[in-house]
Amino acid sequence: MGIVAERVRPTVARVDLGVLKSNYRAIREHLKRERPTGTPGVIAVVKANAYGHGAAQVGRALEDAGADLLACADIEEGAALRAAGVRADILIFGALSVSDLDGLFDCRLTPTISSPGAARAVQAAAARHKQRVRYHLKIDTGMNRLGFRADNLRRTLPELLRSENLDLEAVFTHFATADDPASSLFDEQRLRFDKVLADLHALGARPRYRHAANSAAVVRDPRVWFDRVRPGLLLYGIVPPPLQSAIALAPVMTLASRVTAVKGMRAGEVTGYGARFTAKKPTTIAIVPAGYADGLDLRLAGRGAVLIRGRRAPIIGSVCMDMIMIDVTGLDASPGDEVVFIGRQGGDTIDAREMAETIGSIPWEIVCRVGTRIERVYA
Ligand SMILES: *Cc1c(COP(=O)(O)O)cnc(C)c1O
């Protein structure tokens, strides 16, 4: 009896690591071109399984391309990167209070300290391990999520700065509205951060570097590039909407499947749960083996399209758990034909921005939600 190994389901996410590396280099070149002296470095953001692309492969590829600092959400993600063989420094963005802090030492991770409580916990853990820990200090300049309040540093920082086992490597903040050109909060946060930097200096803190810019801020405003920038989405070849960028990026992920069946519907017949699509005329539909369990949003039915035979075919009826129906009338489709959800086929492209817009979501969510049962195939 043979073992059937390495079967790949017909629905796959193809991840082009060559494109990823070239995006990384394109961002570096852009920074260099715009700021030839004092060019900021890049913190490559690979949280959430590298935005659904696969943290191990993406982390190693970025390291290959020269990345010396990766960032992820929590200690567990950092440990997974280490287990994948990543040797570069790894910054943990998220809260540490409910995690096992030993992971910081076992896996040589750089914590973000974003509250006095976290500072005490990391200091105590570092003392226990008899190590000094380099950390990044996070300042809340108006997003009101994690971070020391920008207006209270004189009270909260001295204790942290005195911590014997803690070594301030960098200071950073995070923007709430970098992708919203109409919001004034971005500039308010920028100005508050400038003031924070002066306050830190007055308190005797000497961070070796400063960072603030996510992808949108990289595209939008060189004034917030400081010493390093923190692109996530851009690395994966997606520009945060509604912004546009001249950086030479290409999407890293293609999401595709194959037609499993083609069938004819007579006028007046329906397809799918809820019978939401009625054929107005004789209609040919194709069944594609990918559904909401693969991360396809329910709202794509009746709104979205796929690429097949170099044309657009509307997604009709309902998105089921494991399959969808598409209208292929006149396309001469047959079982086995490639179906592209995200990517290029023929002369047409559907990208994560378009899919997000179709369903009222954001491209970050589109790539992150590509289901765990979808195989990532690397090239
Ligand atoms: C996720 C994240 C980023 C990257 O955001 P993009 O919009 O994907 O570039 C940068 N900084 C922090 C703190 C983050 O959490």
Side-chain angles (χ1 to χ4, degrees), residues 45 47 51 93 138 145 172 174 213-216 230-234 240 364:
V45 180
K47 66 194 179 191
Y51 290 44
F93 279 147
K138 181 159 192 190
R145 204 175 58 176
F172 75 100
H174 192 49
N214 57 4
S215 292
R230 304 191 304 264
L233 200 67
L234 284 182
W364 293 263

